Amino acid sequence: MAKVSDLALLLVAGMAISLYIQEAGAVKFDIRNQCGYTVWAAGLPGGGQQLTQGQTWTVNLAAGTQSARFWGRTGCSLDASGKGTCQTGDCGGQLSCTVSRAVPATLAEYTQSDQDYYDVSLVDGFNIPLSISPTNTQCTAPACKADLNACPAELKVTGGCKSACVAFQADQYCYTGSYTNSCPPTNYSMIFKQQCPQAYSSAKDDTATFTYPSGTDYSVVFCP
Ligand SMILES: *[C@@H]1O[C@H](CO)[C@@H](O)[C@H](O)[C@H]1NC(C)=O
């Protein structure tokens, strides 16, 4: 029979191994608001937090997190319990998001797999400029800094712009139906692409994914 001290040693070794695995893959996201106005940051996973100019919100993602997304909400009116509405990027009227109904909203996306994949997406439209980048590297951040709120009237909503797919729900803009395998850029996606070449302008625009070896932390900046 194993001695108590052997069991204790095994337990400590097991804890050390699981700690090591977590440290190798867990990722810290710092989400900073550099806009000259208040932004209600949203994260899935993560929830949400109000950020006045200059404030940072830290979200820790577990190892192997897939399809994480961060965005900013504007024009929110939330009560003390965190319920209300936001003009753009609203997530079911909650300060702490559990669902993604961010239309329109500029998105920062992250997936950890064999390496890290990250991008800025305009697939759901645009509300505020943002960037995403590994912390402490010289890597070029994908960023969308242009003010795309100067978009065609048919895409315009208060505080932002819908993507053509969201606005028209048509196969040619969403690359669905007969357009599933034929996906030329459209006159609308080209407007987004010209102003923010580093960002996804449509669901079939695969020129905008950035990769980095896993094991680094990330910064998301509103109004970079
Ligand atoms: C884009 O093309 C559609 C269909 O041809 C047209 O109705 C629309 O006015 C165009 N929009 C812009 C901004 O060029």
Side-chain angles (χ1 to χ4, degrees):
M1 200 182 120
K3 288 183 298 193
V4 172
S5 61
D6 289 347
L7 286 175
L9 197 67
L10 267 178
L11 196 67
V12 168
M15 276 164 55
I17 288 168
S18 64
L19 257 181
Y20 171 77
I21 288 168
Q22 247 187 350
E23 270 176 14
V27 185
K28 181 165 77 86
F29 270 78
D30 280 334
I31 294 133
R32 189 165 76 252
N33 178 21
Q34 285 185 185
C35 301
Y37 47 85
T38 298
V39 172
W40 286 260
L44 282 179
Q49 184 159 310
Q50 178 178 337
L51 299 176
T52 57
Q53 183 176 10
Q55 282 189 319
T56 296
W57 174 45
T58 298
V59 175
N60 291 299
L61 301 184
T65 295
Q66 307 259 310
S67 307
R69 41 170 57 189
F70 297 99
W71 70 97
R73 292 166 286 176
T74 58
C76 297
S77 169
L78 302 169
D79 66 18
S81 70
K83 288 193 171 62
T85 57
C86 300
Q87 214 166 53
T88 64
D90 194 46
C91 65
Q94 305 281 344
L95 172 63
S96 185
C97 297
T98 54
V99 294
S100 181
R101 297 206 193 107
V103 176
T106 327
L107 296 173
E109 302 181 305
Y110 170 87
T111 280
Q112 189 183 100
S113 182
D114 52 325
Q115 55 186 337
D116 290 350
Y117 296 84
Y118 59 100
D119 64 76
V120 171
S121 171
L122 303 173
V123 170
D124 287 344
F126 175 92
N127 64 342
I128 57 177
L130 65 71
S131 67
I132 174 172
S133 63
T135 310
N136 302 329
T137 72
Q138 302 299 315
C139 274
T140 317
C144 178
K145 295 182 188 179
D147 181 10
L148 291 177
N149 287 326
C151 58
E154 55 273 34
L155 303 184
K156 191 93 189 94
V157 292
T158 308
C161 297
K162 290 180 280 192
S163 64
C165 172
V166 169
F168 305 121
Q169 303 282 315
D171 287 345
Q172 81 185 94
Y173 297 119
C174 299
Y175 302 113
T176 48
S178 59
Y179 284 84
T180 305
N181 298 312
S182 148
C183 36
T186 67
N187 54 352
Y188 290 105
S189 72
M190 278 161 66
I191 294 172
F192 286 83
K193 198 71 191 171
Q194 270 159 18
Q195 299 195 60
C196 285
Q198 295 175 336
Y200 270 93
S201 55
S202 73
K204 287 289 172 74
D205 170 10
D206 56 6
T207 62
T209 299
F210 289 69
T211 59
Y212 200 76
S214 298
T216 187
D217 293 330
Y218 282 81
S219 301
V220 172
V221 177
F222 300 134
C223 301

